[in-house]
Amino acid sequence: MPALTDVRHAASAEAQVAALRRLKNELVGQGKRKETLVCDGGIDVVVDILSSSEDDDARLQATLIIATIANGGPAFVTPLLAANAPQVLLDSLAHDTPSKRVTASLQALRNIAAAWRASQQSPQQEIHTRLDLFTRHSIEVFHDLLRQSPPCSARMQHLRLITDLITLSVISDTKKAALSQSPLFEILTALLVSHTVISGLVTWQAEGVQLPPPPQASSVSHIISAICTIVEGSAYRTHRFFLSSTVRALFIGQSWNNTDERHLFSARQGFANTGEPLLPVLHIPAYGTTTYHYGSRAFPAMAALQSKHAKRGNSHYVTFDENLAPGGDMDHANAVCSWLLLLARSAAGHGRLVALRLLALVNNSVDAMDSSDAIVGGHRTEYTQKNRERKKQIAVLGVPLAAKMVQIANESKMAEGSSSAQHADDVLVKEQACDVLALLIRDFDELQIAAVDAGAIKHVCPLLKKTFDPVPLAKPMWSARTAGTGKPADLPLTRQLGSRGLPSEILHAMRCRQSALQALAALAEKEDIHRKAIVEAGVVPCIFDALKPFPSDYAETLAKNRGQVVGPKDGNTTAVLLAACRAAKTMSRSVSLLRTSLIDAGIAKPVFQLLHHTDPEVQLAATDVCINLLLEFSPMREDLIAEGVVKTLADHARRSEPALRVSSLWALKHLVSSSPKEIKVKTIEELGTGWLVGVIRGEHLQQRGHGEVAGGGVSVAGLSTPNAAGEQVDLLNPSSTGMDVDDPDDDQGYDEEEEVVNDDEDGEVMYDELSSTHYQASQLRSTIQQAPSAFNSKRYLSSVREIEQNPSLRARQDDVAVQEQALDFIRNLLNGEDCAGMFDYLLQHIGSAKIFELLTEKLVRVIDAGSSTSARPVYGPSALIISTVNILTHIANALPRHKQLLIAQKPLLQAWLPHFSHPDRKVRVACVWAINSLTWIDDDSDRRDARARAQELRSCGIETAVRQLIGDGDLDVKERAKTAVRQFEQL
Amino acid sequence: MDYLINEGYPAAAQKFATEANIQPAVDVDVIRQRVDIRNCIHTGDVEGAIERINDLDPNILDYDPPLHFTLLRLQFIELVRPILALDKPDTALFRPALVFARTHLAPRAPTQKSFLDELQSTMSLLVFPSEKLAPQLKALLDPDLRAQVARSVNEAILYSRGDKKQARIRSLVKLRAWAEIQAREQKKNLPAHLGLGLDEMTDPDVMVA
């Protein structure tokens, strides 16, 4: 290129600037010339000028050239990164840089980030390069830019560009965490607050808190979108956002009379702080008059009774800090949600979507913390009421808005004639509307119903179908020469074009598809009616098609014949695969669909293939689908076994990722339930008995050096809560479906009705994300000496972080989940016709001493009374105890000699005894069931032995314990205990 | 004020601000740049305009191929305009214009259908004698096209800086006109003529209303 030669050989600074300017004008809008420039080594030249030239004009022109090169797309990312362009640009943002060049540098960085982002979605793995724009130093620079520069149009542009940089380039959790701790995050939050104040939504009454000058109205959506990017994926970071000092000051600054008037912002008052309510006022009946009310504030002692019914089970042992309102400051959280709703209602297009997204994130994080402290106290009712008000408000005002956005996305024509600005907004709405809806309603059945009422299924399904329409690719510019394909490989990286990645049209279709599938997964999560409606809309084949990955050389094939129409079924990006797996998972929770439309669609085969996908996340998602597909009533089970699913799952189970391990064991657990003996034996051989024993003992955890049992430090906090962890898993544990229930011969069938609090009528919720397994952090909290007066946001934040991020706590949680699945695996192994045979198999391969030692281990106390921080003896998580006792039941159900073997285990019986008075009713029920089986008389020959067994139980105190349970408050326990006592007496 | 800034009258905007005693949040520089670009287009110096746009922000044309194409086409028209005005144009004079069309316009033509059509109609300028042009071809030579292009460039620049594309008063006037039409269609009781209230001498009853 002549202009490039001129730049290289410029005689004077002026000549160089002129040549650079000419080069720039030649490049803008000319993709082909940009390619030539790269191959000619132009990037090195330009970056060199940028980093070493003295002349300000030359550097400005060089910056602009980099900006326009980056607009060329993903192919230019590799050479630009190889030339270290981002770092050079960041360095040029120093204090004394003229504002114009700062703008240009930010612009160039933004363009690079955009191209990089597009390259990340390519099916090829090798081009997934790292882009690190937010280092400790650069965050400071960005912060200075936003803080210092005077409020003029340049500053506004800087703000927009920096927020875009965050949205585009921040993906990893560590970066997000670093940003959330930075002053940059604070200033973004403050700008949003400032905007709210200037638009008159809230009167600012906090004295002493300085707000930055308000941003332009058009920047608000950029700011919110950057905040969303930072907080997404962590309840702690979200809490950091809405508990930040400026957001708190927005609602709490009543300086003249010091009264808390935040209830004015709530759903019932409709954001009425400036007089007229700004949101529709909702009438939500108080809990006090409904059956949900289990206690009364006038009788705090009743709280103990309520706890039995609390969402996550009991909390008798839990000593909690009265001063710490459960779940944080609910008034504030509600005010924040109302505020975000208001922002969403006052914006349009993409701006509205991002506000809704932030609303969803805040609501989800408040809820996550709510369920992780199922701590109940005198404030419980008021607290629950406020929680309910918030959800109601979102159901009535937020979800329909999101559904409306989906409708707009579905109906928008994207006319070619519309201006490019409008077009860009339409594209974003189309890509994100479904995703926002999904985020809003996931995990909340109430909101899912609201979404369907607002017509969500009607609009999501056509949107999904449309993404399978053939995509006409934009034709490349015509050129007289055909592009030279053979490029020498020995050129430096800065002179080689990277992979083109997928064309933007396909990426757009992929993003739409992914977001529509997310919405389907969320809609189908709880309600069977929704699933049926989705099937009727005819999108099941779409889910099937979305389970197919791109061939790895897809981008190249496309590049060869650009200008063609791309077929709809060529494949999918990883993000789409994940979303499709999620949709398949929730859809397959319906037994009837599993047997009809899902089998018709042939969903099993692609899912099985995805088990072998290279991406571990996809493997996990596919395993999660398998959990449902491998149930005993699933028609796909045989096919999957024939394909060799046993071996794959066993391999996955032995891998180190805890989530994959849990899911694989879970799937195997379903697989062995009521299956023929050969399959059971094959599975356990595949897993290896030694390995299984190791997992149950938690050896894997100790190897990694996390949380020594009964050791000091925080792991005690995790352990010392008797019902720590496993509660949530337990909640959706399919013991009502996957385990014993369908076996007519098994007299141990559980009553389903009370089994699962949150279950469907047909009880088919089988798995839920383990992402929010919960610990009761009571010990954690009691170490925090709370000032008795007001809510302390700092301390609350730190406890939120502990719950979410403490590594040993998390390792414990993961381990408990794995152990539970492993124990349940054994339980299902023993269940059914060949119970005795299977137990013999285990005896033979593990050895009876070892088996009982293992079971005893799970039942004994972890910490002895008085020996540690806790005053009471502390046992393992109740989920593990339940699983263990259930295994005992099955052993007791095998042959008489097995019963005898069990009764001979003195230490086991000793360890078992305290659990008859376990606070969790599910543990007590399981215990009594086991006794029922132990005292059962098989035939006449067994009568003598049975009497001996009863004698043994009496002597170790178990009979007395059972007799005491006749007076148990829980009906199920009571009735089982009656049976047991009758059997004792018949002997 | 908003109108003056958006449409690019920096001097008037400053005077207005002084007279009305308001703090002008005006960046005169930015307005001046836009005015410069507009003037370039109006005087037919499209190349200069494109260079100035790229100086301001290369993203504008990178992201908006239709706008870039429109500008280049205008540049082509400006190239042939003086030749067409000649009495008996020598075909050799067209050579530079043809080279321009080949290097800049032709490669873009296949990327969008509309580009191809526009290119064809523009090229036919060279074919027909200038006095017998069809009306739609005449429009290409009309100075109105310059104004139209200048307006879309102005909007694109405003948008790239995150401003509204049009002055607020424009949409207000549109809204008013729309409301009037709606009201008349629904046979609301309206006077035959509704003035804007700017020329109140001739329209006393609007003042009362």
Side-chain angles (χ1 to χ4, degrees):
Chain A
M1 289 178 86
L4 183 62
T5 329
D6 291 351
V7 172
R8 274 196 180 122
H9 306 291
S12 65
E14 286 83 50
Q16 194 179 42
V17 171
L20 280 169
R21 184 168 283 142
R22 201 143 29 88
L23 181 62
K24 177 193 66 190
N25 285 326
E26 278 186 19
L27 289 176
V28 172
Q30 302 274 13
K32 275 265 166 342
R33 288 191 200 159
K34 291 175 189 171
E35 287 175 20
T36 326
L37 179 82
V38 172
C39 297
D40 290 350
I43 289 187
D44 282 327
V45 177
V46 174
V47 172
D48 200 43
I49 290 173
L50 186 59
S51 57
S52 61
S53 174
E54 299 283 300
D55 189 73
D56 217 49
D57 256 355
R59 294 170 79 176
L60 174 65
Q61 294 301 329
T63 312
L64 290 173
I65 290 179
I66 294 181
T68 182
I69 292 176
N71 276 338
F76 296 90
V77 172
T78 331
L80 282 172
L81 291 186
N84 204 17
Q87 192 52 50
V88 175
L89 287 168
L90 284 176
D91 291 343
S92 69
L93 291 173
H95 287 297
D96 49 347
T97 315
S99 151
K100 199 165 175 189
R101 192 145 65 80
V102 171
T103 312
S105 300
L106 289 173
Q107 184 84 262
L109 283 170
R110 199 207 74 97
N111 293 355
I112 294 176
W116 174 80
R117 186 62 182 260
S119 77
Q120 291 302 294
Q121 294 183 328
S122 153
Q124 284 158 302
Q125 296 288 322
E126 74 265 26
I127 63 164
H128 291 188
T129 40
R130 276 166 50 87
L131 177 70
D132 192 3
L133 295 181
F134 290 92
T135 57
R136 183 180 288 271
H137 176 69
S138 70
I139 289 176
E140 251 167 53
V141 173
F142 290 135
H143 177 239
D144 281 349
L145 278 177
L146 291 189
R147 202 186 41 180
Q148 289 177 347
S149 42
C152 62
S153 76
R155 174 186 183 263
M156 295 305 165
Q157 223 174 341
H158 295 168
L159 169 64
R160 241 191 344 270
L161 290 167
I162 292 173
T163 48
D164 279 359
L165 269 184
I166 296 176
T167 311
L168 286 168
S169 77
V170 177
I171 292 182
S172 77
D173 247 14
T174 44
K175 281 286 151 222
K176 290 180 179 184
L179 273 170
S180 73
Q181 316 266 355
S182 71
L184 187 60
F185 184 57
E186 271 164 39
I187 212 168
L188 289 178
T189 313
L191 281 166
L192 189 59
V193 170
S194 177
H195 166 75
T196 311
V197 173
I198 207 75
S199 22
L201 301 182
V202 182
T203 30
W204 183 252
Q205 289 149 347
E207 283 160 11
V209 185
Q210 199 68 42
L211 280 184
Q216 257 173 325
S218 60
S219 317
V220 173
S221 69
H222 296 254
I223 297 173
I224 300 181
S225 150
I227 294 177
C228 283
T229 308
I230 295 173
V231 303
E232 197 154 23
S234 156
Y236 167 61
R237 289 196 295 266
T238 315
H239 275 80
R240 274 192 80 95
F241 159 66
F242 73 82
L243 293 178
S244 71
S245 56
T246 38
V247 177
R248 281 189 68 74
L250 185 61
F251 300 113
I252 212 166
Q254 270 68 25
S255 50
W256 69 84
N257 55 1
N258 257 331
T259 52
D260 185 356
E261 296 189 352
R262 288 176 300 166
H263 62 275
L264 288 178
F265 296 105
S266 71
R268 264 133 84 82
Q269 308 280 346
F271 220 79
N273 83 310
T274 48
E276 284 293 296
L278 298 173
L279 285 172
V281 175
L282 302 179
H283 298 283
I284 301 157
Y287 250 148
T289 55
T290 67
T291 49
Y292 294 106
H293 186 60
Y294 293 118
S296 146
R297 250 183 295 169
F299 298 97
M302 297 279 281
L305 271 179
Q306 300 167 31
S307 63
K308 190 173 80 174
H309 302 276
K311 198 171 163 193
R312 308 285 176 192
N314 58 80
S315 42
H316 280 242
Y317 290 167
V318 180
T319 50
F320 61 91
D321 195 334
E322 282 281 354
N323 298 317
L324 196 62
D329 189 350
M330 206 34 81
D331 272 330
H332 181 67
N334 285 3
V336 169
C337 285
S338 294
W339 169 48
L340 292 172
L341 259 179
L342 202 58
L343 284 179
R345 285 161 65 97
S346 58
H350 185 236
R352 177 173 285 184
L353 270 187
V354 288
L356 284 172
R357 181 186 290 272
L358 193 53
L359 170 69
L361 290 170
V362 169
N363 183 39
N364 292 350
S365 78
V366 172
D367 189 71
M369 283 309 129
D370 164 34
S371 31
S372 60
D373 339 312
I375 294 171
V376 225
H379 304 298
R380 183 74 196 180
T381 38
E382 194 186 331
Y383 165 75
T384 320
Q385 169 67 10
K386 285 178 178 161
N387 212 347
R388 219 167 62 97
E389 276 176 21
R390 186 183 73 248
K391 287 193 185 133
K392 185 81 185 167
Q393 190 185 29
I394 293 175
V396 174
L397 300 177
V399 172
L401 209 58
K404 181 78 188 165
M405 292 308 291
V406 175
Q407 183 182 358
I408 291 172
N410 183 29
E411 285 164 2
S412 82
K413 287 283 183 294
M414 301 257 243
E416 234 177 58
S418 67
S419 70
S420 67
Q422 187 57 43
H423 186 74
D425 198 69
D426 282 353
V427 167
L428 286 175
V429 169
K430 236 183 150 117
E431 286 174 357
Q432 297 177 5
C434 288
D435 203 29
V436 170
L437 179 72
L439 194 64
L440 203 54
I441 63 175
R442 192 175 294 152
D443 296 337
F444 302 107
D445 37 1
E446 186 189 353
L447 299 187
Q448 285 157 18
I449 293 169
V452 174
D453 288 346
I457 294 180
K458 206 166 63 202
H459 303 301
V460 171
C461 290
L463 204 58
L464 178 61
K465 281 187 196 161
K466 266 185 237 168
T467 68
F468 287 93
D469 290 345
V471 186
L473 291 182
K475 293 184 182 125
M477 281 201 212
W478 172 83
S479 92
R481 289 172 299 165
T482 45
T485 41
K487 54 176 177 188
D490 53 345
L491 279 176
L493 274 176
T494 51
R495 298 179 69 166
Q496 279 182 35
L497 284 176
S499 156
R500 262 171 228 282
L502 293 173
S504 57
E505 299 88 344
I506 297 190
L507 281 182
H508 170 66
M510 287 299 150
R511 292 197 196 110
C512 293
R513 193 179 293 173
Q514 179 213 354
S515 111
L517 285 166
Q518 297 276 30
L520 282 191
L523 287 167
E525 203 170 57
K526 302 262 160 87
E527 298 285 327
D528 221 23
I529 312 162
H530 299 177
R531 292 180 199 130
K532 294 219 165 78
I534 290 170
V535 168
E536 274 156 26
V539 289
V540 177
C542 295
I543 299 180
F544 170 81
D545 287 332
L547 285 167
K548 180 183 163 198
F550 273 127
S552 60
D553 58 343
Y554 186 68
E556 268 116 63
T557 334
L558 269 186
K560 267 181 215 138
N561 38 22
R562 265 187 86 87
Q564 281 193 340
V565 171
V566 175
K569 293 176 183 171
D570 281 354
N572 300 280
T573 55
T574 306
V576 176
L577 295 178
L578 290 173
C581 281
R582 260 170 235 138
K585 179 178 89 186
T586 56
M587 289 295 285
S588 61
R589 281 180 185 162
S590 156
V591 186
S592 62
L593 292 185
L594 207 55
R595 286 180 171 158
T596 53
S597 33
L598 290 179
I599 180 97
D600 289 347
I603 226 113
K605 207 177 167 78
V607 169
F608 179 73
Q609 277 158 359
L610 286 185
L611 281 179
H612 299 282
H613 197 270
T614 46
D615 191 326
E617 267 189 81
V618 177
Q619 288 178 359
L620 176 62
T623 312
D624 289 348
V625 187
C626 278
I627 291 175
N628 288 354
L629 298 186
L630 286 173
L631 277 165
E632 57 173 299
F633 46 76
S634 157
M636 283 110 160
R637 194 193 218 181
E638 306 300 313
D639 300 346
L640 281 168
I641 291 175
E643 297 259 16
V645 78
V646 176
K647 182 160 177 22
T648 314
L649 287 176
D651 285 346
H652 284 182
R654 280 194 292 267
R655 295 252 293 278
S656 61
E657 299 95 329
L660 187 60
R661 185 173 270 225
V662 171
S663 289
S664 303
L665 270 174
W666 199 317
L668 287 174
K669 168 182 97 178
H670 282 174
L671 188 131
V672 294
S673 160
S674 319
S675 54
K677 191 175 175 189
E678 309 83 70
I679 301 224
K680 286 184 175 177
V681 171
K682 188 174 169 221
T683 312
I684 186 127
E685 275 173 356
E686 203 65 68
L687 278 175
T689 44
W691 181 84
L692 198 61
V693 170
V695 162
I696 294 174
R697 305 184 81 149
E699 280 168 3
H700 153 78
L701 183 78
Q702 281 158 15
Q703 273 162 17
R704 289 199 307 186
H706 283 304
E708 276 77 49
V709 186
V714 199
S715 62
V716 176
L719 278 169
S720 56
T721 45
N723 43 356
E727 292 293 338
Q728 194 231 12
V729 177
D730 196 41
L731 186 76
L732 297 173
N733 191 341
S735 47
S736 52
T737 46
M739 297 255 175
D740 302 355
V741 121
D742 281 1
D743 192 343
D745 297 329
D746 192 345
D747 60 346
Q748 307 295 331
Y750 284 98
D751 283 350
E752 274 187 76
E753 41 182 42
E754 298 144 296
E755 181 73 24
V756 184
V757 183
N758 222 351
D759 211 346
D760 282 5
E761 293 108 297
D762 41 5
E764 67 228 351
V765 175
M766 283 166 283
Y767 179 75
D768 207 351
E769 239 84 42
L770 281 157
S771 53
S772 50
T773 338
H774 300 294
Y775 263 84
Q776 297 212 330
S778 63
Q779 292 291 322
L780 251 174
R781 291 150 147 265
S782 59
T783 61
I784 300 166
Q785 282 312 310
Q786 189 74 35
S789 60
F791 172 79
N792 181 327
S793 62
K794 273 224 176 77
R795 289 199 171 128
Y796 183 70
L797 261 181
S798 71
S799 66
V800 170
R801 182 175 57 191
E802 275 301 291
I803 293 170
E804 185 177 285
Q805 292 173 355
N806 185 318
S808 45
L809 217 81
R810 293 187 67 93
R812 271 309 295 174
Q813 280 172 312
D814 290 340
D815 195 54
V816 165
V818 173
Q819 286 185 27
E820 190 198 353
Q821 294 311 319
L823 286 169
D824 282 348
F825 174 79
I826 293 189
R827 172 185 173 190
N828 273 4
L829 213 57
L830 295 180
N831 178 35
E833 293 287 326
D834 33 59
C835 169
M838 283 317 295
F839 189 56
D840 278 336
Y841 179 90
L842 289 182
L843 286 177
Q844 197 183 330
H845 285 83
I846 302 178
S848 82
K850 193 139 191 194
I851 292 180
F852 287 110
E853 193 188 319
L854 204 59
L855 294 175
T856 317
E857 242 172 51
K858 293 293 134 193
L859 292 179
V860 290
R861 64 196 72 162
V862 180
I863 299 167
D864 276 328
S867 73
S868 176
T869 49
S870 173
R872 297 186 197 83
V874 172
Y875 299 95
S878 52
L880 293 187
I881 296 172
I882 295 173
S883 300
T884 313
V885 174
N886 279 328
I887 294 179
L888 296 183
T889 309
H890 281 300
I891 298 176
N893 263 344
L895 298 178
R897 64 185 160 90
H898 296 137
K899 288 191 173 82
Q900 292 302 110
L901 193 60
L902 178 59
I903 209 77
Q905 309 296 326
K906 286 250 162 53
L908 177 73
L909 296 182
Q910 284 303 328
W912 189 6
L913 180 62
H915 297 295
F916 282 84
S917 53
H918 196 281
D920 190 341
R921 50 164 281 271
K922 282 182 257 171
V923 177
R924 299 198 299 270
V925 173
C927 290
V928 187
W929 272 122
I931 295 304
N932 280 354
S933 300
L934 265 180
T935 51
W936 181 256
I937 308 165
D938 255 11
D939 47 40
D940 277 346
S941 64
D942 186 39
R943 187 169 292 278
R944 209 168 51 84
D945 286 343
R947 204 164 293 138
R949 287 201 296 271
Q951 194 58 46
E952 186 59 42
L953 290 175
R954 185 167 301 139
S955 70
C956 71
I958 287 183
E959 188 188 341
T960 331
V962 173
R963 279 179 195 278
Q964 271 165 5
L965 288 180
I966 291 188
D968 197 88
D970 189 83
L971 260 186
D972 196 16
V973 179
K974 198 166 160 179
E975 291 305 310
R976 299 315 140 219
K978 275 185 193 161
T979 315
V981 169
R982 199 168 54 239
Q983 289 189 6
F984 269 119
E985 278 161 4
Q986 279 169 0
L987 288 169
Chain B
M1 187 73 191
D2 181 53
Y3 174 82
L4 293 176
I5 293 173
N6 270 290
E7 299 289 310
Y9 301 102
Q14 270 189 328
K15 280 203 186 107
F16 185 90
T18 341
E19 277 176 27
N21 196 19
I22 46 176
Q23 279 297 317
V26 192
D27 217 336
V28 185
D29 247 16
V30 185
I31 306 179
R32 199 144 281 148
Q33 283 165 340
R34 278 190 286 125
V35 175
D36 269 356
I37 293 169
R38 188 180 56 193
N39 289 347
C40 281
I41 296 175
H42 278 301
T43 54
D45 178 14
V46 183
E47 193 175 356
I50 293 181
E51 280 172 18
R52 285 185 170 85
I53 295 172
N54 288 344
D55 259 348
L56 210 58
D57 180 358
N59 274 11
I60 296 174
L61 295 184
D62 258 342
Y63 281 168
D64 199 346
L67 184 67
H68 200 182
F69 183 82
T70 316
L71 276 166
L72 290 170
R73 189 180 60 142
L74 186 64
Q75 191 177 348
F76 174 78
I77 293 171
E78 300 299 347
L79 281 175
V80 298
R81 189 192 304 275
I83 308 168
L84 289 178
L86 292 177
D87 222 9
K88 273 243 183 298
D90 181 3
T91 40
L93 289 175
F94 285 122
R95 190 164 296 277
L98 284 174
V99 171
F100 177 83
R102 199 174 64 213
T103 49
H104 287 103
L105 292 178
R108 287 160 205 276
T111 55
Q112 270 187 35
K113 178 87 174 68
S114 57
F115 289 3
L116 191 61
D117 297 344
E118 283 176 27
L119 179 64
Q120 279 168 350
S121 67
T122 315
M123 291 309 282
S124 56
L125 278 177
L126 308 182
V127 182
F128 299 108
S130 48
E131 58 273 12
K132 285 194 216 152
L133 286 178
Q136 70 264 37
L137 288 184
K138 257 212 174 79
L140 288 177
L141 290 174
D142 200 57
D144 243 18
L145 184 68
R146 289 178 177 175
Q148 211 180 310
V149 173
R151 195 157 52 239
S152 39
V153 168
N154 195 31
E155 284 177 6
I157 298 173
L158 283 174
Y159 178 73
S160 80
R161 325 205 107 226
D163 294 320
K164 287 173 307 302
K165 288 192 297 180
Q166 288 183 332
R168 241 169 268 153
I169 198 162
R170 274 182 194 259
S171 43
L172 282 179
V173 171
K174 272 189 198 153
L175 179 67
R176 187 189 172 284
W178 174 84
E180 195 179 325
I181 292 167
Q182 287 291 308
R184 286 197 198 286
E185 272 175 8
Q186 289 173 19
K187 305 253 179 343
K188 289 269 155 57
N189 191 11
L190 282 185
H193 172 70
L194 280 175
L196 278 175
L198 293 173
D199 39 4
E200 61 265 38
M201 290 307 139
T202 57
D203 211 1
D205 40 21
V206 175
M207 285 300 289
V208 177

